[in-house]
Amino acid sequence: MREILPALERWYAAGVPFGLATVVSVSRSAPRGPGAAMAVGPDDEVVGSVSGGCVEGAVFELAQEVVTSGEARLETFGYSDEDAFAVGLTCGGELTLLVRPVTPAADPVFGAVAASVARGEPVTVATVVDGPAPRGAALAVWPGSVSGTLGTAGLDAAVTADARGELALGATGSRHYGPRGERREDAVTVFLHSFAPPPRMLVFGAIDYAAAVARIGDFLGYRVTVCDARPVFATPKRFPAAVEVVVDWPHRYLRGTDTDGRTVICVLTHDPKFDVPLLEEALRRPAAYIGAMGSRRTHDERRKRLTEAGVGADELARLRSPLGLDLGARTPEEVAVSVAAEIVALRWGGSGVPLTATAGAIHPARAS
């Protein structure tokens, strides 16, 4: 959704109706997860994707139909053994889409949501998917405010509470309620789409490898900061325009920086005076990934120094060192791919082995 928002904002501001299809649930080996979106606007312009090409033709027609009818629709696509030419997912998975018309009159909160997402402000959009409530009705929930309605005050209150909880986790998925927000009923299905600020990638050590890691981190959607105590190396000219460059002692900068369970920390300094106090701080705070560059000898020396500094075995077990997967990488760019591959594998529980050596679903079911 983030990638297609500029086009959607343009259509919305012009008051031009468009059809928006959003993946609200998946099963088995579906290619895209909940929240993936595709829209059809004026002059049949298409932005986004919901399946990587399998069902986009059918979704294009659905989007046109909902714009004409003004009514949202819920559609499920799977694989049909009986009809080889049926529209469906060749991978054998199944996905359910909510396809709805969007105009300022039909969705008055869309403009404010799009503006918040563009500014990096956290917001969750709750949309009625199914049940005895207006399908396609939307409620926007920010940490301190709410806009829109799902039909009843009770449902709005229950969904607002859950939406703020999901927003704190950066989670997206469906919840079930009674018509008035009853917790023990499942008559109404509501899709909660969280737009949390992008996760952070903190890269320490402004070397050539850092420039490559920063570029791939930006490509993966992280908000990247590169930090080094040496001003001759930590210059913005050496890094992509979107990357923040900070001149400071790494451990001091990290000590004053908030991290959470999505933060990625890459220590590329491989100099004890920098990386030992930095890792001592990093291993005691929340982070999704903490990796350090260096040879195995450097790693052994680093572990010894960290142990002497009082870092416990459980904390040391979080350290990925030497960082990256074994790809045989040589150049800074190849090493960056290796590091990114390890981060992605750790995030989704991947094995890191070639797919030809594995069996079963390529895209296992994902948690909300």
Side-chain angles (χ1 to χ4, degrees):
M1 179 69 82
R2 291 182 190 275
E3 288 76 13
I4 68 175
L5 269 177
L8 306 191
E9 285 186 289
R10 185 175 70 252
W11 298 338
Y12 189 85
V16 178
F18 60 89
L20 177 61
T22 305
V23 177
V24 295
S25 70
V26 300
S27 65
R28 299 190 298 278
S29 188
R32 303 294 302 273
M38 168 181 159
V40 178
D43 300 322
D44 295 337
E45 182 180 354
V46 178
V47 292
S49 172
V50 292
S51 73
C54 296
V55 302
E56 270 70 5
V59 175
F60 174 81
E61 295 179 359
L62 281 171
Q64 291 179 315
E65 291 172 9
V66 300
V67 169
T68 299
S69 68
E71 297 181 356
R73 290 176 58 176
L74 190 68
E75 296 287 342
T76 297
F77 296 92
Y79 178 76
S80 173
D81 289 319
E82 291 75 24
D83 184 356
F85 294 98
V87 175
L89 303 180
T90 57
C91 59
E94 184 176 276
L95 59 82
T96 299
L97 302 174
L98 176 66
V99 189
R100 63 190 182 96
V102 179
T103 64
D107 189 350
V109 305
F110 184 88
V113 169
S116 287
V117 174
R119 291 193 296 264
E121 299 169 352
V123 60
T124 294
V125 181
T127 310
V128 174
V129 171
D130 203 9
R135 178 175 289 163
L139 177 75
V141 181
W142 290 267
S145 63
V146 177
S147 182
T149 181
L150 302 181
T152 67
L155 183 58
D156 288 349
V159 171
T160 295
D162 289 344
R164 287 187 172 134
E166 297 292 87
L167 186 57
L169 298 172
T172 288
S174 295
R175 292 288 187 102
H176 304 278
Y177 307 87
R180 296 176 177 79
E182 297 91 341
R183 296 286 185 177
R184 297 185 180 182
E185 297 184 27
D186 59 2
V188 179
T189 302
V190 178
F191 182 64
L192 302 179
H193 193 173
S194 295
F195 295 92
R200 297 200 66 181
M201 173 183 280
L202 306 177
V203 181
F204 295 96
I207 59 177
D208 289 346
Y209 291 95
V213 170
R215 283 196 296 272
I216 205 165
D218 178 53
F219 175 76
L220 290 176
Y222 287 93
R223 181 163 67 92
V224 183
T225 298
V226 175
C227 175
D228 198 302
R230 302 163 296 180
V232 67
F233 295 113
T235 62
K237 291 183 179 179
R238 301 182 63 224
F239 298 93
V243 173
E244 178 188 29
V245 180
V246 173
V247 179
D248 199 352
W249 278 82
H251 71 281
R252 184 169 60 192
Y253 174 76
L254 183 58
R255 191 174 297 150
T257 301
D258 291 333
T259 64
D260 59 26
R262 302 182 301 151
T263 303
V264 166
I265 298 174
C266 298
V267 179
L268 310 182
T269 50
H270 55 81
D271 183 332
K273 69 175 177 289
F274 291 124
D275 58 20
V276 170
L278 171 60
L279 287 169
E280 188 179 352
E281 175 68 30
L283 293 169
R284 289 171 174 162
R285 57 167 54 230
Y289 175 92
I290 304 171
M293 176 177 278
S295 66
R296 299 198 186 279
R297 178 178 178 181
T298 299
H299 170 68
D300 291 339
E301 285 292 322
R302 184 187 290 133
R303 284 182 62 92
K304 179 181 177 182
R305 291 172 182 268
L306 288 169
T307 300
E308 291 172 350
V311 178
D314 290 343
E315 294 165 333
L316 281 173
R318 301 177 61 202
L319 178 60
R320 318 285 290 195
S321 175
L323 82 176
L325 298 185
D326 180 13
L327 305 183
R330 293 291 187 272
T331 68
E333 290 74 18
E334 291 174 344
V335 170
V337 170
S338 166
V339 174
E342 184 176 41
I343 291 169
V344 172
L346 188 63
R347 178 182 181 185
W348 295 111
S351 64
V353 303
L355 288 172
T356 54
T358 65
I362 294 175
H363 303 287
R366 314 178 195 190
S368 295

